[in-house]
Amino acid sequence: MQYQAFVIEKISFFSWLEELGQEFQLIGPREREGGPAFSRIESIKDLNLDYGLTMMGPQVHLYHPEEQICTIEERGAGFEVSVRQEVPRQVLIGVHSCDLHAILVLDRAFLKAGMEDRNYRLWRENTVVIGLHCPHVCPQCFCASMGTGPFFEPKQGYDFLLTDLGDSYLTETLGNRALKLIAHLNPHLATQDHFDRKSQLGLELLNQFQKSIDTTHLVEILLRNQNHPVWSQTADQRCLNCTNCTKVCPTCFCYNVKDTISFDLTRCERSRYKDSCQELHFAEVHGANFRSTRTARLRQFVTHKLATWVEQFGCFGCIGCGRCMTWCPTKIDLTDMAREIMASEGLYTAGRVKKRAD
Ligand code: SF4
Ligand code: SF4
């Protein structure tokens, strides 16, 4: 996909966004009761790009927590199935590097060739994604350890990628749609100096991380410690099974389907809602429940994010945002559990990770 980099003065950038608002729904971080949230932006002055962590990631505007899949209606001797054909065009503004990676994770799950999710594809195709490098590192963030930040490296998944250079943005673009959208601004091409300033900002951010996890042998370590006592101790003593962790996790994509059928049985609305592996019903199969204990459910959440996802999708399922531990009512932290397991294998002592020789 075609890549270019420009420098755009902030004043031009924000009036350009306002123009875009005539054609697209603008969605971005704005202050709400309880903290910043990705919501509809009616006026550019409501946009707060100096935000930290939002409870729900911007992905909820691509993969909605609840949405209709189709309607099925009786027609003569048969039934007609109608699916959604279009969605509003929207711009997601200010998506941080970790959340851009979360979108790439959802792309892997929902856009797999031959198994595409129609609704997700529609939203994805009709959404212009404007990424933004974080201005600072939040205390709960460990994206640098997970390889998902603080700066976004892949040349995919976004239309625009912004780095704040003071009065202007270094604006990296991918694809023709992005070039067309900014063509009338006649922006100047970025120079090596702008990229040097970007690299310097990245280095400064790297020094701000308070949280980390060693991923070198994480997959093998977690997989061979399925019966480690940390699972049952944490689950029995602290997990409330509230499902908050999965609700806020930007890479959790499991859903369940529900049918609402009219009384005369001629019409059915089929919708889906985001489900959670922390729910007791989640692993119910005919005659049994293969994760009937809190221990099994908590272990499933952590090992899927930090281990089995790698085999399934070729990347970690955790992008290091820290949402699950921030909104867990008892502050259960998956990095603490991983560290405790590493410690029992002699790989973690006195607050730091020891590298294995092998
Ligand atoms: S598991 Fe927790 S830290 Fe990792 S992506 Fe999900 S919410 Fe973020
Ligand atoms: S948010 Fe915390 S208490 Fe709630 S289900 Fe997740 S780990 Fe358990």
Side-chain angles (χ1 to χ4, degrees):
M1 195 176 275
Q2 192 178 5
Y3 168 85
Q4 297 251 36
F6 304 94
V7 176
I8 301 179
E9 301 266 310
K10 280 187 180 172
I11 200 159
S12 312
F13 175 80
F14 287 111
S15 51
W16 170 74
L17 270 187
E18 243 164 355
E19 268 173 45
L20 277 191
Q22 313 293 320
E23 250 185 281
F24 295 83
Q25 285 184 7
L26 303 183
I27 311 280
R30 58 180 293 188
E31 285 310 312
R32 291 283 192 196
E33 198 183 337
F38 273 85
S39 326
R40 185 93 183 259
I41 301 290
E42 307 286 356
S43 160
I44 289 299
K45 67 177 171 22
D46 293 335
L47 189 65
N48 171 18
L49 290 181
D50 189 23
Y51 73 103
L53 187 67
T54 56
M55 183 173 76
M56 305 305 287
Q59 308 78 11
V60 292
H61 296 278
L62 295 169
Y63 169 47
H64 297 251
E66 180 152 10
E67 71 182 327
Q68 193 179 89
I69 300 173
C70 65
T71 57
I72 305 158
E73 284 186 85
E74 190 176 311
R75 287 274 183 268
F79 288 90
E80 185 180 284
V81 179
S82 310
V83 292
R84 195 165 196 171
Q85 300 292 346
E86 54 184 37
V87 296
R89 298 204 298 161
Q90 60 182 4
V91 184
L92 267 187
I93 311 161
V95 182
H96 287 164
S97 176
C98 64
D99 282 326
L100 286 172
H101 275 277
I103 292 175
L104 293 185
V105 167
L106 294 181
D107 287 353
R108 282 179 164 100
F110 287 135
L111 299 180
K112 193 170 176 185
M115 295 171 60
E116 274 188 9
D117 182 280
R118 169 188 283 272
N119 282 19
Y120 183 80
R121 181 175 53 76
L122 268 178
W123 283 108
R124 195 71 172 92
E125 286 174 356
N126 285 285
T127 302
V128 174
V129 177
I130 304 183
L132 171 71
H133 286 132
C134 293
H136 39 73
V137 173
C138 298
Q140 75 294 322
C141 175
F142 54 103
C143 66
S145 311
M146 300 310 296
T148 57
F151 278 10
F152 189 73
E153 304 296 343
K155 290 213 168 40
Q156 57 175 312
Y158 63 85
D159 295 83
F160 300 94
L161 182 59
L162 308 177
T163 307
D164 191 338
L165 298 180
D167 292 338
S168 58
Y169 286 117
L170 168 62
T171 309
E172 296 168 73
T173 67
L174 276 183
N176 287 333
R177 176 167 69 177
L179 289 180
K180 269 194 201 156
L181 285 172
I182 54 164
H184 65 288
L185 295 179
N186 292 317
H188 296 297
L189 283 174
T191 64
Q192 188 55 45
D193 176 53
H194 298 115
F195 282 99
D196 290 346
R197 285 164 67 192
K198 175 186 168 185
S199 304
Q200 185 56 36
L201 288 170
L203 287 175
E204 285 164 18
L205 286 179
L206 275 178
N207 292 327
Q208 294 177 21
F209 280 89
Q210 299 171 28
K211 200 171 175 65
S212 66
I213 181 170
D214 182 8
T215 57
T216 320
H217 297 283
L218 191 56
V219 175
E220 310 92 276
I221 291 168
L222 289 183
L223 292 182
R224 68 172 171 254
N225 280 284
Q226 295 286 293
N227 295 316
H228 195 281
V230 73
W231 305 120
S232 56
Q233 279 163 12
T234 313
D236 293 344
Q237 291 167 15
R238 293 168 60 200
C239 182
L240 309 175
N241 241 186
C242 66
T243 76
N244 275 10
C245 47
T246 49
K247 295 271 163 46
V248 299
C249 179
T251 63
C252 275
F253 54 75
C254 291
Y255 65 81
N256 208 342
V257 172
K258 105 180 150 195
D259 285 346
T260 308
I261 301 169
S262 64
F263 275 119
D264 61 1
L265 305 181
T266 59
R267 187 170 198 280
C268 168
E269 281 185 15
R270 177 160 292 178
S271 55
R272 67 173 168 201
Y273 61 92
K274 194 170 171 185
D275 206 351
S276 167
C277 58
Q278 299 306 291
E279 294 262 20
L280 181 60
H281 76 85
F282 188 86
E284 261 170 10
V285 289
H286 178 68
N289 186 324
F290 55 87
R291 278 186 222 117
S292 60
T293 63
R294 270 180 294 171
T295 300
R297 293 192 289 277
L298 184 64
R299 180 179 55 206
Q300 158 64 19
F301 175 68
V302 178
T303 52
H304 196 203
K305 297 290 168 192
L306 296 178
T308 49
W309 209 293
V310 175
E311 185 185 345
Q312 198 178 359
F313 295 109
C315 65
F316 285 109
C318 174
I319 46 99
C321 64
R323 286 186 173 96
C324 53
M325 54 206 72
T326 303
W327 280 281
C328 172
T330 62
K331 301 294 170 225
I332 292 175
D333 179 333
L334 80 175
T335 66
D336 286 345
M337 284 181 269
R339 261 193 296 274
E340 195 167 329
I341 292 173
M342 286 182 209
S344 66
E345 291 208 355
L347 295 170
Y348 181 83
T349 51
R352 68 188 181 85
V353 174
K354 287 202 297 185
K355 298 282 182 196
R356 286 165 71 105
D358 55 339

